[in-house]
Amino acid sequence: MTRFLAFFVVFLTLSSSEFTTETDTTYYVSHDDGGWIPSYQETIARLNQQGKLVVLDGYCASACTMFLGADNVCIMPDTQFEFHGSLSWDGKGKDYWDNELSKYYPTELRRWFYESNAYKLQGLARILPTDDVVRLSGVPYCS
């Protein structure tokens, strides 16, 4: 039982980690559970300014999906995307943060986010198949 518990704790720690690698030309995201929206806004602004390619691979949830609005981004075919509404940060309200999150989405993806009611989900997420993310966002698969 102790061995199982130790394994489970390690698994939870690793499964909630973010794995990014950055080079002179590329910002590679291989597992990202999301997080604080302003941090993603700052990162995306920096990557756009530097002209870096953002490669999304593996798992991208919550605020990670904001990378779909980066200037130079591509998606690996096995990427899993999970969308949900924001939490009410800093007393600004859920509507404010949902807008801050979704304004990074290309138009058709933003429309889906609201029409599918994904923005209403908290504590749950809506999984959108990768082909649908590519179709709705216009973001290409990585070559």
Side-chain angles (χ1 to χ4, degrees):
M1 179 69 171
T2 304
R3 180 180 281 171
F4 172 77
L5 192 54
F7 172 78
F8 187 68
V9 169
V10 169
F11 173 78
L12 286 178
T13 302
L14 291 175
S15 68
S16 65
S17 299
E18 175 185 341
F19 299 103
T20 59
T21 304
E22 189 166 0
T23 68
D24 290 341
T25 60
T26 306
Y27 188 81
Y28 182 82
V29 180
S30 62
H31 182 94
D32 192 333
D33 291 324
W36 179 238
I37 292 170
S39 296
Y40 284 80
Q41 291 170 319
E42 292 170 12
T43 299
I44 292 166
R46 178 180 62 81
L47 296 171
N48 287 346
Q49 181 183 30
Q50 296 171 342
K52 291 193 178 188
L53 171 65
V54 177
V55 176
L56 300 176
D57 190 14
Y59 177 75
C60 181
S62 193
C64 173
T65 61
M66 293 169 64
F67 285 122
L68 291 165
D71 290 346
N72 189 14
V73 61
C74 68
I75 301 169
M76 296 299 289
D78 64 342
T79 307
Q80 178 181 342
F81 291 93
E82 293 189 8
F83 296 84
H84 67 84
S86 67
L87 300 174
S88 181
W89 299 100
D90 292 351
K92 292 182 180 176
K94 181 175 174 9
D95 289 343
Y96 173 83
W97 288 111
D98 284 343
N99 184 61
E100 289 298 297
L101 172 76
S102 67
K103 74 181 181 183
Y104 284 81
Y105 298 162
T107 304
E108 291 301 313
L109 184 61
R110 184 180 174 128
R111 182 175 296 125
W112 170 85
F113 180 70
Y114 284 103
E115 288 178 359
S116 72
N117 292 320
Y119 75 99
K120 291 182 179 179
L121 298 174
Q122 289 182 309
L124 298 171
R126 177 145 302 142
I127 297 171
L128 189 60
T130 309
D131 286 342
D132 290 344
V133 172
V134 168
R135 180 178 51 81
L136 291 171
S137 68
V139 173
Y141 283 111
C142 302
S143 52

